[in-house]
Amino acid sequence: MDITLEQPARARLITAGNRELPVPATLRYTAADPLAVCIGFPPEVSLDGEGVTWTFARALLAEGLAGPAGSGDVHIWPCGRSITVVEFHSPYGLALLRFDTAALRRFLLRTYAVVGAGQEDLGAAVEQGLSSLFGSV
């Protein structure tokens, strides 16, 4: 069964001038891709007017709620007890966003209710990844 979770989240974009701008976001998880979580942003907050979705490891979110985690394009770390910072790197620059830790933790716990940590069906994920890489070859 393919279960998808979506949860709206309020984020605050930290600007170069240390101002914070509210940004709507959607947290998403699907059992069809059990190792990943997504954070989506609507077109009105992106540079090119297109919606943006970042996909990264669910384990990275769990690690980042407990302490600094990440390498590459996504870094996550707690900032005090109630705020978690998520940093996204792209060829166009970086975005630094603050989220309520409780909202991220609640979302993560909801994903574990769908597919428990360590219970992911890797066979299906590997098959899907190979299909996307090689198509019908």
Side-chain angles (χ1 to χ4, degrees), residues 4-11 24-29 38-40 61 99-111:
T4 299
L5 299 175
E6 285 193 354
Q7 177 179 313
R10 285 181 260 154
T26 302
L27 306 172
R28 189 173 300 113
Y29 177 79
C38 301
I39 301 179
L61 178 58
F99 287 87
D100 289 335
T101 300
L104 294 179
R105 186 167 282 119
R106 185 171 48 253
F107 172 71
L108 185 62
L109 291 174
R110 289 178 67 212
T111 73

Side-chain angles (χ1 to χ4, degrees), residues 44-127:
E44 59 270 15
V45 300
S46 72
L47 293 174
D48 62 3
E50 302 265 335
V52 176
T53 299
W54 286 83
T55 302
F56 53 94
R58 178 170 74 162
L60 174 60
L61 178 58
E63 291 172 31
L65 289 171
S71 60
D73 295 342
V74 180
H75 299 253
I76 304 173
W77 65 91
C79 185
R81 296 181 68 191
S82 62
I83 300 297
T84 298
V85 176
V86 181
E87 182 178 87
F88 298 107
H89 293 257
S90 81
Y92 306 105
L94 72 91
L96 198 61
L97 293 118
R98 290 176 19 141
F99 287 87
D100 289 335
T101 300
L104 294 179
R105 186 167 282 119
R106 185 171 48 253
F107 172 71
L108 185 62
L109 291 174
R110 289 178 67 212
T111 73
Y112 292 151
V114 174
V115 178
Q119 303 300 310
E120 298 90 348
D121 178 6
L122 298 182
V126 169
E127 185 66 34

